[in-house]
Amino acid sequence: MSIKLNIESGFETIELDEDRKFKFNANDYSIIIKGTKIAKDIDNKLKEYVDGLKSSLEYLNEDSELCAEKLYEIENETKGYICNKVDELFGNEVSREIFKGISPLTITNDGSFYVIKLFEAILPIVAERVKEASDKMKTNTEKYTKKYIEEENK
């Protein structure tokens, strides 16, 4: 005999397009704090990336092979950093799903990095879901607390 439990975990799904979607825990309040910090960390890393690109391009006329090697190294290191930060925020290997078929360093139509546009779109959604979860928790806590307080006061 087996017992099957279905416990609501608070996970929500965000669908980026029909091929890419991921889950996050809307009941994890630390996700907002972590998300803000990680967005800043990624922004700083992107500044380093741009600086690294500029310095690598200085070798273009002198040694194109060295230039290509440096560019490849900088890009891979930056992509790895971004993917690790996204996984830290949303869970292990979420970055594989989010960046399936697109680099976090892709430049969008307005000149921004794809990862920046992604965070600008996702973080407000996450914040709203966490607020909703918090409101539900507060309502439930008050309901159960009130019940126990009434019983103690009898």
Side-chain angles (χ1 to χ4, degrees):
M1 180 170 111
S2 66
I3 298 172
K4 202 175 206 178
L5 293 177
N6 185 12
I7 300 172
E8 280 291 319
S9 62
F11 278 85
E12 300 259 349
T13 300
I14 292 181
E15 192 171 316
L16 300 170
D17 57 36
E18 54 187 51
D19 294 329
R20 297 176 303 138
K21 57 186 166 190
F22 69 97
K23 291 183 177 186
F24 73 96
N25 189 345
N27 293 335
D28 180 3
Y29 304 104
S30 70
I31 201 167
I32 299 301
I33 296 162
K34 286 191 310 188
T36 303
K37 182 186 179 327
I38 286 172
K40 287 177 185 173
D41 291 346
I42 288 174
D43 189 53
N44 289 334
K45 188 65 168 178
L46 290 172
K47 289 174 184 165
E48 287 177 26
Y49 171 71
V50 170
D51 290 343
L53 290 178
K54 288 176 185 175
S55 67
S56 295
L57 290 174
E58 292 174 8
Y59 296 101
L60 186 59
N61 293 331
E62 298 169 24
D63 188 345
S64 60
E65 197 171 300
L66 178 62
C67 176
E69 190 177 302
K70 287 188 172 291
L71 290 172
Y72 181 78
E73 184 180 301
I74 291 166
E75 183 160 332
N76 280 335
E77 195 270 328
T78 304
K79 278 195 239 180
Y81 180 87
I82 290 169
C83 289
N84 287 337
K85 288 295 185 178
V86 167
D87 290 342
E88 181 183 332
L89 179 60
F90 294 115
N92 196 20
E93 297 194 12
V94 167
S95 63
R96 296 177 97 195
E97 189 65 30
I98 289 177
F99 299 122
K100 187 188 311 179
I102 189 166
S103 167
L105 300 174
T106 297
I107 304 298
T108 61
N109 291 340
D110 71 354
S112 301
F113 287 105
Y114 177 77
V115 67
I116 296 297
K117 298 302 265 186
L118 183 72
F119 269 76
E120 287 174 351
I122 289 175
L123 289 181
I125 294 168
V126 170
E128 181 61 31
R129 294 301 186 273
V130 169
K131 182 185 178 318
E132 289 170 7
S134 174
D135 291 346
K136 286 178 188 175
M137 183 188 73
K138 182 179 177 187
T139 300
N140 284 334
T141 302
E142 287 171 355
K143 180 173 82 175
Y144 293 117
T145 305
K146 182 179 177 182
K147 177 182 166 184
Y148 290 112
I149 290 172
E150 287 173 356
E151 286 179 11
E152 283 185 8
N153 290 335
K154 287 184 182 181

